[in-house]
Amino acid sequence: MTDTRIRLLREEDWDAVVALEERAYAASGLSEGREALRSRHRASPSTCFVLEHEGRCGGYLLALPYPLFRCPDLSLAEEGGVRADNLHAHDVVIAEELRGRGLSHRMLRHLEGTARAAGYRTLSLVAVRGSHVLWNPLGYRARPEVALPESYGSRAIYMAMPLDPVPADPVPAWPLPHSTDPIPGSPPRAEVG
């Protein structure tokens, strides 16, 4: 994919982002709508990205600071910036025709680098519709004890991973991955989460 790059989300991307989000989530009742999505971006524009493929929006990732073990409610817009040492990957969607190529993993690795550079200690996300299997290879671990807003539905699972284990601690809080690459020979999966 020589003509694919990750860049910051821009104003002119919103129509494409909203269309991708609606196609990914409307049927399951998880679509947030334009204003809620824009509020996530306003909360942290430096951590929201577009996957540009052949000059158009082929996917996006919205992330914002949020306290560890908490997450935004899909039914509510963000009211203001939150200070936290956890960066929450709120939404990642890859266009249907580009799925199965590891692009969601590439975007999450990009977010991980951005988070480390900015001094975040952990990353979190909410896996919906069984997508937790996508995030395990990247080092995210399920935290089923974390209660989620009802807006995520009954199959959602909170997941988190440390960015840098504390060197004095011989056992990090979560197991770290040996590789961030997809498992060879594994079937392509939907890249929405």
Side-chain angles (χ1 to χ4, degrees), residues 37-135:
L37 292 170
R38 289 182 66 108
S39 76
R40 317 284 182 224
H41 177 255
R42 281 192 302 272
S44 186
S46 65
T47 59
C48 295
F49 305 98
V50 160
L51 177 75
E52 187 177 286
H53 177 70
E54 297 179 353
R56 64 178 186 79
C57 178
Y60 70 89
L61 187 152
L62 303 178
L64 64 161
Y66 232 80
L68 189 61
F69 306 131
R70 291 184 46 214
C71 62
D73 188 319
L74 298 179
S75 64
L76 303 172
E78 296 303 312
E79 293 186 16
V82 174
R83 289 194 168 283
D85 61 2
N86 176 66
L87 186 60
H88 185 75
H90 177 69
D91 193 11
V92 59
V93 174
I94 304 297
E96 296 90 340
E97 68 274 11
L98 298 176
R99 292 180 188 164
R101 302 177 188 191
L103 294 171
S104 61
H105 287 201
R106 181 174 161 191
M107 291 192 78
L108 264 292
R109 286 193 301 264
H110 180 82
L111 182 66
E112 184 178 329
T114 301
R116 275 199 174 94
Y120 290 98
R121 296 177 48 88
T122 54
L123 284 173
S124 64
L125 56 82
V126 175
V128 297
R129 302 181 313 198
S131 66
H132 62 281
V133 296
L134 291 171
W135 312 128

